[in-house]
Amino acid sequence: MSNPTLDSPAGKAAQPRPSRNKSHTRFLVLGLIFFITVINYADRSSMSIAGTDMTKELGMTTVQLGFVFSAFSWAYVVGQLPGGYLLDRFGAKKTYGWSLILWSVATLVVGFVGLVSTPVLVSVGILFGLRLFLGIVEAPAFPANARITTIWFPTKERGQATAVFNSAQYLATAMFAPLIGWMTYTFGWRLGFYVLGVLGVAMAFVWFRWMNVPSKHKRVTAAEIDTIRTGGGLVDLDESDTLSNRKSTITRAQFKQLFTSRMFWGLYVAQYAVNALTYFFITWFPIYLVSSRHLNIMQAGFIAAIPALAGFAGGLLGGFISDYLLRKGVSLTAARKIPSVAGMALAMLIMLCPFTDSTPIIVLLMTLAFFGKGVAALGWAFATDMAPKESNSVSASIMNAFGNIAGIVTPIVIGYIIAATGSFDVALWFVGAHGALALIGYLIMGRVKRLEFTTSAAPAVENVPA
C-alpha cells in the first residue's frame, strides 16, 4: 500500500536518503525511549526511597503514605484512555514530548513540599495532588513506547524491542535507588526530586530536537524503512496525512469489541498481576528493608538495586527468548506465553520470604522473584501483537489502565496489612499470589493474534495504512 506522505509533493521532498545499505536508526530510537523510560520510572519510584525520611519529617503514617503511593496510579489509570486518544490523534512525538516536560515539572515540585511549615494533612494533600498530576501526565508514556516500536520495528524484532523499553523500569531502580538513597542519606530527601526534574526537562529538549517519523528522520534510509514495512511494522501510522485524516480514532462499536474480547481480558488480568509485583518493588520494598531488615536508607538503596538488576536481565531475556522461539517457527501464542508462564511461576518464590529470618536468603528470593517477573513482563509485546491497526494506542492504553489498577490496590492493601499486623509477612503472601493470578490470565487469553474489527464496527472515516 502506498505511503500517503511520501506520495505527496511535500512528502517526496522529505523522503529518506536513497541507499541500499540498511541503516539501524530504529535501534537509536529504541535507545532514546529506553533512557526516557528509565527517567519515567525513577520519577514514579523515587518516593519509595525518600519515603522513610519524608514520613518522619512530615509526620505521615504508613496508611497515609500508602495512599500517597497509590495516588499516582489512580490518575494513571484514569489518564490511559485520554492519553491513547491523544496518541492516536496527534502522534507520539508531540504527545510524548509534552508528557515528559509536565511529569518532570511535577517531580521537581515535590521537593518543595513542606519547606514552609504546614499541618500534616495539608502536606499529605499536596503530595497526593502532585502524585495525581504525575499519574495523569505520565499516562501516555508506555502506550507511546508501544506505538513507537509498532512503527519502527518489524514483528520478529518487536518482542525484543518491547522487552528493552520495558526493562528500563528495572534499570531505573538499579541506577537511581542507590543514587537517591545516597542523596537522601547525605543531603536529605528533597535533592533527588530536584535532580530528576531537571534531567527530565533536558531529555524533553533532546526528544523534540531528534525524534521524528521514519520518512522524515534524518538518519533513516529507504532500505531500513522497507525492512520495517515488509516485516509488519506500521511505518505510516504517525504520518501527518494519516493523523490529519483520522476523524475518529475509535467508534463505540470498536470500543465494545475491545471490552468483549476474551483474548484482551486474559491480557488485562495478566498485566494486572505482573504490575502488582512491580508496584511492591517500587513502593514498599525499600521501606521493608529499612523497617523489617533494619537497614539504613543508603544500605536499602543499594540492596534494592540487586533485585532490580535481576529484573533488568530477566526483562531482556524474556523478550529475546520470545523472539527466538518465533524465528524458530514456534507459534506466536507459544512464543509469547512460554517465557511469561515460566517467569510468573518463578516470581511466586517471594511467598517464601516470611519463612526465614536471614537477610541474604530473603534478598536471594526477592532477586529470583524479580528476575522471573522480568522474564514474564511481555505485556507490551502481547499488546503490539493484538492491537487493531485502527486503534493501536487506545487498545494499548486500555491494557495499561487495567494493569495499573494494581498500582492503586497494592500500595493501599500493603499499608493496611502492615498497620493491622505490624509486619510484612501477609503482605508478601499477598504480592506472591499474583503469580498464580497471571497464570489464570494467560489461560483465559487463548490464541494470540491481531484483533480485526468486524465490518459493523468499522469507522465512517479512517485512513490507517495496513
Side-chain angles (χ1 to χ4, degrees):
M1 184 173 290
S2 64
N3 184 321
T5 300
L6 297 183
D7 289 346
S8 64
K12 289 180 179 180
Q15 283 188 16
R17 61 183 184 271
S19 172
R20 293 186 179 182
N21 296 321
K22 293 181 181 179
S23 58
H24 296 89
T25 307
R26 61 191 184 279
F27 298 109
L28 295 177
V29 170
L30 181 61
L32 179 60
I33 64 173
F34 172 83
F35 190 72
I36 291 174
T37 306
V38 169
I39 297 172
N40 178 289
Y41 257 87
D43 286 350
R44 70 174 76 176
S45 64
S46 54
M47 194 171 286
S48 68
I49 302 297
T52 301
D53 283 15
M54 180 188 293
T55 300
K56 291 178 181 178
E57 181 176 327
L58 300 179
M60 297 163 58
T61 66
T62 57
V63 172
Q64 289 171 335
L65 183 60
F67 274 97
V68 169
F69 278 150
S70 75
F72 170 88
S73 293
W74 286 99
Y76 193 68
V77 168
V78 171
Q80 286 304 307
L81 277 179
Y85 278 115
L86 288 172
L87 285 164
D88 279 334
R89 182 65 186 86
F90 298 106
K93 182 176 180 177
K94 289 182 180 179
T95 306
Y96 206 178
W98 280 105
S99 173
L100 174 56
I101 290 172
L102 291 172
W103 90 55
S104 300
V105 171
T107 300
L108 182 69
V109 173
V110 170
F112 293 96
V113 175
L115 283 177
V116 177
S117 180
T118 54
V120 175
L121 288 180
V122 173
S123 296
V124 171
I126 294 171
L127 285 173
F128 191 86
L130 285 170
R131 294 287 287 185
L132 282 174
F133 181 74
L134 184 69
I136 285 287
V137 297
E138 280 197 8
F142 266 73
N145 287 343
R147 185 182 188 88
I148 292 165
T149 54
T150 301
I151 292 170
W152 280 91
F153 284 86
T155 302
K156 290 185 178 180
E157 293 178 1
R158 207 173 293 148
Q160 298 174 35
T162 56
V164 167
F165 78 67
N166 194 51
S167 67
Q169 62 183 282
Y170 313 113
L171 191 62
T173 302
M175 287 175 57
F176 285 97
L179 179 61
I180 295 176
W182 171 76
M183 288 180 181
T184 301
Y185 185 80
T186 308
F187 302 105
W189 62 269
R190 302 179 188 277
L191 180 62
F193 294 99
Y194 301 150
V195 170
L196 288 172
V198 171
L199 181 59
V201 172
M203 284 307 302
F205 176 79
V206 173
W207 173 264
F208 280 115
R209 289 276 296 178
W210 190 84
M211 189 62 183
N212 216 327
V213 294
S215 70
K216 295 183 177 67
H217 201 288
K218 61 185 179 181
R219 293 186 57 92
V220 78
T221 63
E224 182 175 13
I225 291 181
D226 184 63
T227 297
I228 299 168
R229 190 194 303 277
T230 57
L234 305 183
V235 295
D236 305 312
L237 194 62
D238 271 2
E239 291 289 351
S240 56
D241 285 0
T242 303
L243 294 172
S244 62
N245 289 335
R246 183 174 289 134
K247 304 302 182 183
S248 173
T249 57
I250 187 170
T251 67
R252 183 177 298 179
Q254 290 172 335
F255 195 81
K256 181 179 179 181
Q257 281 190 259
L258 291 173
F259 277 93
T260 55
S261 166
R262 169 181 167 177
M263 179 178 65
F264 270 96
W265 271 108
L267 178 60
Y268 301 154
V269 171
Q271 191 71 357
Y272 171 88
V274 170
N275 279 1
L277 279 92
T278 299
Y279 277 101
F280 166 72
F281 275 97
I282 68 173
T283 56
W284 285 105
F285 180 53
I287 295 171
Y288 165 73
L289 293 175
V290 172
S291 63
S292 294
R293 309 317 309 164
H294 310 298
L295 305 177
N296 65 44
I297 190 62
M298 185 166 64
Q299 292 170 330
F302 280 94
I303 293 297
I306 298 173
L309 286 172
F312 176 68
L316 293 178
L317 183 62
F320 280 94
I321 289 174
S322 181
D323 280 0
Y324 173 79
L325 293 173
L326 204 56
R327 289 193 298 271
K328 288 298 181 180
V330 175
S331 71
L332 181 62
T333 300
R336 298 297 189 230
K337 285 188 178 182
I338 287 172
S340 300
V341 170
M344 288 309 286
L346 187 61
M348 294 174 70
L349 287 175
I350 196 173
M351 299 177 76
L352 299 178
C353 290
F355 297 103
T356 179
D357 196 44
S358 168
T359 296
I361 292 176
I362 287 172
V363 172
L364 175 62
L365 291 171
M366 292 282 188
T367 300
L368 291 172
F370 214 37
F371 174 80
K373 184 264 174 189
V375 171
L378 289 171
W380 288 102
F382 281 112
T384 59
D385 293 329
M386 296 177 181
K389 295 188 291 290
E390 297 88 346
S391 57
N392 183 276
S393 293
V394 168
S395 58
S397 296
I398 293 171
M399 178 207 73
N400 207 27
F402 276 99
N404 280 279
I405 292 173
I408 300 171
V409 175
T410 303
I412 293 176
V413 169
I414 291 177
Y416 274 109
I417 289 173
I418 295 168
T421 66
S423 79
F424 271 84
D425 290 356
V426 177
L428 294 176
W429 293 331
F430 166 75
V431 172
H434 286 81
L437 181 61
L439 301 184
I440 294 172
Y442 299 131
L443 181 63
I444 293 170
M445 191 183 296
R447 182 187 170 198
V448 177
K449 60 181 180 179
R450 190 172 299 282
L451 180 66
E452 295 184 5
F453 288 133
T454 60
T455 305
S456 60
V461 179
E462 189 64 69
N463 185 13
V464 179

